[in-house]
Amino acid sequence: MGGTSTDVSHFAGEYERAFDTEVAGVRVRAPMMSIHSIAAGGGSIVHFDGARLRVGPESAGANPGPASYRRGGPLTVTDANVLLGRIQPQFFPRVFGALANESLDRTIVAQRFGELAQRMTRSAARAIAPEEVAGGALRIAVGAMANAVKRISVMRGHDVTAYTLQCFGGAGGQHAGLVADLLGMSRVFIHPLAGVLSAMAWTGRSDRHARSGARARVESRRA
């Protein structure tokens, strides 16, 4: 789980591969890891459409990023974790804000969730607390991730309760326990470097380029 999406795959002794896939609407015929992706990440935007609380599919991205990044971004799943105390600013480096020298901003997060809670209170005709809104957003995101895991496992006949949930990504460790609970899984494995998986893969990669193409030959005949 990263900032914009959650990617899931199934492993039962060997890597599963796909040979005919569709990526961003483009059909690709090439061997690759069988990975199912959904728009649920730490940067998924939390918003109220007048009737329901929604999470994503839009993302705040890296810039401006979540509201807590001090760059004027929208409320996101990351901000929900900040408000609920699941992310504690004092344990994060001071690399946020316009000059990249400030800590995560819990004050603006509380203010923005308070405003959202007021809108939902007027619509629901009952008092809704900011923490209730943040908790609801988190449950929506976790539910989407659990359903993604079900799609590649339960819907294909695998009993995930006997599996170990292994998580990667900057936001993976924040939500793995909740996802495991929804799936009835009792074990979660988090590697010490799980949060920097993509960076580790990039530095240890071996480049290989393959080119293929087709040529058309036009013959002109004289009558």
Side-chain angles (χ1 to χ4, degrees):
M1 181 183 182
T4 59
S5 67
T6 295
D7 306 319
V8 296
S9 61
H10 175 256
F11 179 83
E14 61 181 15
Y15 295 109
E16 294 187 356
R17 292 176 170 80
F19 297 91
D20 190 351
T21 58
E22 187 173 302
V23 179
V26 178
R27 193 170 184 179
V28 179
R29 289 181 176 273
M32 63 181 67
M33 287 282 294
S34 180
I35 298 174
H36 177 53
S37 300
I38 60 168
S44 294
I45 297 175
V46 178
H47 59 102
F48 180 61
D49 64 5
R52 291 186 298 175
L53 180 67
R54 295 184 177 274
V55 178
E58 299 84 2
S59 174
N63 190 19
S68 56
Y69 281 20
R70 299 178 183 266
R71 291 199 293 264
L75 284 177
T76 67
V77 172
T78 292
D79 298 315
N81 282 306
V82 170
L83 184 68
L84 296 173
R86 296 167 57 84
I87 291 179
Q88 300 183 35
Q90 66 268 29
F91 294 112
F92 281 73
R94 299 173 66 89
V95 295
F96 304 96
L99 299 178
N101 62 352
E102 298 180 87
S103 62
L104 287 168
D105 189 351
R106 191 183 188 280
T107 302
I108 189 64
V109 169
Q111 176 187 327
R112 297 283 295 280
F113 268 112
E115 296 169 354
L116 187 56
Q118 290 177 6
R119 287 184 54 208
M120 295 179 66
T121 293
R122 290 193 295 268
S123 178
R126 72 173 182 87
I128 298 177
E131 291 78 11
E132 185 178 352
V133 178
L138 188 59
R139 286 192 296 274
I140 292 171
V142 170
M145 288 184 277
N147 286 335
V149 175
K150 289 179 181 178
R151 178 169 177 175
I152 63 163
S153 57
V154 177
M155 294 176 64
R156 294 167 54 192
H158 300 291
D159 179 12
V160 294
T161 60
Y163 280 58
T164 296
L165 180 65
Q166 183 171 4
C167 73
F168 295 101
Q174 299 167 28
H175 307 91
L178 295 175
V179 173
D181 285 343
L182 279 183
L183 296 170
M185 303 174 73
S186 60
R187 294 186 303 271
V188 176
F189 175 67
I190 306 177
H191 190 277
L193 299 177
V196 292
L197 169 68
S198 296
M200 292 292 291
W202 182 258
T203 57
R205 77 193 190 283
S206 57
D207 293 336
R208 184 175 65 179
H209 301 276
R211 294 184 176 87
S212 63
R215 294 181 178 178
R217 185 176 62 183
V218 178
E219 294 184 0
S220 176
R221 296 183 180 181
R222 294 183 179 180

